[in-house]
Amino acid sequence: MMTQWHLLRGDILIGELSEYGCDQPFFLARFTPGPGWESVRALCEASAALSGPDPDGSRTTAVLKPLQDLELRLVPVDGRQPSLQVLKNCMLRIDGSEARLRY
């Protein structure tokens, strides 16, 4: 059974993820925005747009550090798994209605 997650910033629902498949090492999920989505949308879109070489990591750090500072959490809807701190316990990339999750 695929996991469903709530993406939270504090108590604010950013969105919901529903896993539907796997493309190792990532789980694939559908993303449905929640009430708090607009407050983090620009940072998530910047993260999704990262590509290409970044030899010293400075470009990646400039994009991911503000996202990490939000302390987003993924909380499983069924409670059978522990919650995950985004960019600490897992990697999450949201691109429109699709998400890729690695934990």
Side-chain angles (χ1 to χ4, degrees):
M1 183 169 137
M2 297 291 173
T3 305
Q4 291 190 333
W5 303 89
H6 284 164
L7 178 61
L8 301 173
R9 179 179 182 197
D11 292 332
I12 299 168
L13 179 65
I14 302 301
E16 297 179 0
L17 286 84
S18 298
E19 291 180 14
Y20 68 85
C22 190
D23 181 14
Q24 283 296 339
F26 292 94
F27 290 94
L28 306 175
R30 305 249 186 273
F31 176 72
T32 305
W37 173 241
E38 288 304 318
S39 69
V40 302
R41 180 183 201 146
L43 292 175
C44 289
E45 288 175 350
S47 170
L50 279 175
S51 66
D54 185 12
D56 67 356
S58 62
R59 189 168 48 91
T60 301
T61 299
V63 170
L64 295 184
K65 179 69 171 121
L67 192 56
Q68 185 177 21
D69 290 346
L70 294 176
E71 297 184 353
L72 300 176
R73 292 178 300 124
L74 281 169
V75 178
V77 172
D78 65 12
R80 290 192 288 180
Q81 293 177 298
S83 54
L84 303 170
Q85 188 81 33
V86 175
L87 297 175
K88 183 175 181 181
N89 308 115
C90 67
M91 294 298 298
L92 175 64
R93 185 177 195 140
I94 299 171
D95 191 2
S97 63
E98 293 293 315
R100 296 170 71 80
L101 173 63
R102 181 177 182 178
Y103 57 94

